[in-house]
Amino acid sequence: MTKKIEMNYYTITVAVKPYIRAFLENNFGSPVDIRKDPELNNIVEFLLKEGATRLDKTLQIKYPDSVCIRISRDTFHRYGFTLTKTATQRLNCYLERRVKFFARVYIANNRSIGIPLARCIRDFQEKFNFPEDVWSAEAIRKDFTRNGKTVQAKFITNFKDELNKIFLEFMSESVTLSESFPKPGQE
């Protein structure tokens, strides 16, 4: 007996950078099912809706990769299935900021406990499936060097505060604290 599968979605093909494609496919499958991420789904819907009313012939986009993104039948019937060049660029910028933020946070977290930068980057590439030909360690290092120091400083401060709190609680329980330190719950 043949079972008829009803397709409740369409796909759109979007030009992207290789590491954005890897990020989307690693997190949302192939074709990319963005329904699992309401924020991203809303952005794609908005860009489709906005693009239905404008043309942008002068903008040139040369992203070397592409990805298929699922959209609902309703979205397809309301806004179509084509992102303008401007919308494609805006989607790439949004996803690039998001991916780089995750990379910076992961690397800063590991750097704050003393792991060398090169090892942090390799671990990030391995754990999140970004091979060297998709997103090079050198490109990640440059981005982290430019933009990751603030994230790392926050992690170190928070990490130090948490360690001090644990230490003080432990010392308080063993009654070896001086009277000048507040006991847990008296802060």
Side-chain angles (χ1 to χ4, degrees), residues 40-50 72 75 79:
L40 180 55
N41 190 49
N42 289 343
I43 287 171
V44 170
E45 248 183 46
F46 172 77
L47 292 172
L48 281 167
K49 177 182 176 182
E50 184 183 67
S72 69
T75 301
Y79 313 120

Side-chain angles (χ1 to χ4, degrees), residues 161-177:
D161 291 346
E162 284 300 312
L163 280 178
N164 286 337
K165 185 177 177 182
I166 292 167
F167 174 76
L168 289 173
E169 286 176 2
F170 175 76
M171 296 304 286
S172 174
E173 288 173 6
S174 65
V175 192
T176 55
L177 280 178

